[in-house]
Amino acid sequence: MFTHNKRLQYTVRVGAGNPGLANLLLEQFGGPQGELAAAMRYFTQAVGEEDPGRKDMLFDIATEELSHLEIIGSLVAMLNKGAKGELAEAVDEQAELYRKLNGAGNDSHLTQLLFGGGPPLVNSGGVPWTAAYIDTIGEPTADLRSNIAAEARAKIIYERLINVSDDPAVRDALGFLMTREVSHQKSFEKALYAISPNFPPGKMPPVPQFANVYYKMSEGGETVAAPWNSGRGLGIRQGEPAVDGGDGSATVQLDATQKAACVAMETRLMSDPTIDPETGAELGAAAVDTDVVDGGTEQPTKGGAV
Ligand code: MN
Ligand code: MN
């Protein structure tokens, strides 16, 4: 069950209204690296988790992410509050109100007009939140790695938001949210290493002859020798087709009925490379001296007449 504590996890003090900044902060409210995505990612993983310790951790972090959603949503609401009141009560002349919503790089018209200054579940570009942001696959050795990467991305978005915020109190709250994502990254990494073995993800072992190979798939220029392509368990090899030793083609065994249908289809759709039909695009084009164009065997006479 859930209960709601009436106090935020971190106090939100906003120095002055700033609808443009509020719009940018929506990235962490309804965006792919945002708090709702994080909360739903860990909540759904927690529900399906069997390991008691990991289940506990996932519910704790999911619940904390909801608390972060409340903080970032409150920041958006406070940054929009003054403008929201002015818009609702139409205190300014139209032109003045328009300037406040759109002036000086402030593109908050979407939040203001459509959502009345409240925090909508969209990203900073107005794209609606979607469950497609969550890539859970139900295998902790894969999901924990994805969670680590998700926390890394969330940390980077907060860092960028701090860089564009000039309000010290907003920067302070964003700094807390950014820091917590670093802490979550640590927990997920430790939870991953608490599973042994955890690599490769899942149970099935890789095919030995391909597992430790780095295929060099580029031509023209030397490959930089590095740990990710050679040494300690990895060997570099020039990429080549049919590494299985086969002929590199694609085949399938079909029954007689399917085989007959495919032959009929291929016969019907077979191309004839010997015909050169006129296309619609060519019908309106100026006449061309074909002997010159196709480099024909006949020598074109002067003036183009043959
Ligand atoms: Mn968070
Ligand atoms: Mn987090």
Side-chain angles (χ1 to χ4, degrees):
M1 60 161 274
F2 283 83
T3 60
H4 181 252
N5 191 307
K6 294 181 184 181
R7 290 189 297 165
L8 295 165
Q9 192 191 14
Y10 198 87
T11 309
V12 167
R13 303 179 190 87
V14 173
N18 187 340
L21 181 59
N23 243 45
L24 292 178
L25 295 194
L26 285 177
E27 193 61 35
Q28 285 303 78
F29 192 71
Q33 326 305 340
E35 301 294 353
L36 182 66
M40 293 302 102
R41 161 185 283 269
Y42 309 140
F43 181 83
T44 50
Q45 288 176 19
V47 171
E49 182 56 76
E50 304 293 339
D51 182 85
R54 215 155 48 226
K55 191 181 185 81
D56 206 29
M57 172 194 71
L58 287 163
F59 270 128
D60 276 339
I61 298 182
T63 307
E64 182 174 358
E65 303 293 18
L66 277 178
S67 306
H68 296 175
L69 184 71
E70 190 180 24
I71 294 169
I72 194 84
S74 299
L75 281 166
V76 171
M78 293 306 107
L79 287 165
N80 271 331
K81 188 166 181 170
K84 176 185 177 179
E86 289 173 337
L87 182 63
E89 301 307 314
V91 297
D92 293 318
E93 291 296 319
Q94 288 93 331
E96 178 64 10
L97 202 49
Y98 184 85
R99 190 195 59 76
K100 280 184 181 173
L101 297 183
N102 288 281
N106 173 5
D107 56 356
S108 71
H109 51 282
L110 180 135
T111 18
Q112 293 296 341
L113 292 183
L114 291 183
F115 305 105
L121 284 173
V122 299
N123 76 353
S124 56
V127 178
W129 188 85
T130 165
Y133 292 155
I134 290 146
D135 58 8
T136 296
I137 204 163
E139 160 65 44
T141 55
D143 286 339
L144 287 167
R145 286 188 161 86
S146 182
N147 295 354
I148 292 164
E151 293 292 342
R153 293 192 298 268
K155 195 268 179 183
I156 295 300
I157 297 286
Y158 276 123
E159 199 171 308
R160 292 174 183 171
L161 288 173
I162 290 168
N163 288 341
V164 296
S165 303
D166 59 358
D167 184 329
V170 173
R171 292 170 66 97
D172 178 58
L174 293 177
F176 169 75
L177 295 172
M178 179 193 78
T179 301
R180 293 305 300 155
E181 313 308 15
V182 177
S183 175
H184 294 162
Q185 191 173 335
K186 276 189 209 164
S187 291
F188 289 133
E189 200 168 343
K190 287 177 184 294
L192 173 66
Y193 299 153
I195 305 171
S196 184
N198 62 64
F199 185 86
K203 184 182 176 186
M204 204 176 286
V207 179
Q209 69 190 100
F210 305 124
N212 302 314
V213 182
Y214 177 96
Y215 286 122
K216 181 180 181 301
M217 303 298 282
S218 313
E219 290 177 359
E222 285 302 300
T223 298
V224 176
W228 55 80
N229 59 33
S230 48
R232 282 219 304 163
L234 274 177
I236 194 164
R237 194 187 299 170
Q238 184 64 47
E240 54 181 4
V243 292
D244 61 311
D247 65 4
S249 67
T251 56
V252 61
Q253 301 292 327
L254 300 177
D255 63 31
T257 313
Q258 289 177 327
K259 201 178 279 181
C262 287
V263 168
M265 176 184 72
E266 287 158 16
T267 306
R268 179 171 61 81
L269 296 174
M270 187 176 289
S271 62
D272 179 356
T274 65
I275 58 171
D276 184 10
E278 204 161 17
T279 68
E282 287 162 328
L283 287 175
V288 178
D289 187 333
T290 54
D291 287 327
V292 175
V293 169
D294 66 11
T297 50
E298 290 171 54
Q299 284 296 317
T301 53
K302 269 191 173 148
V306 179

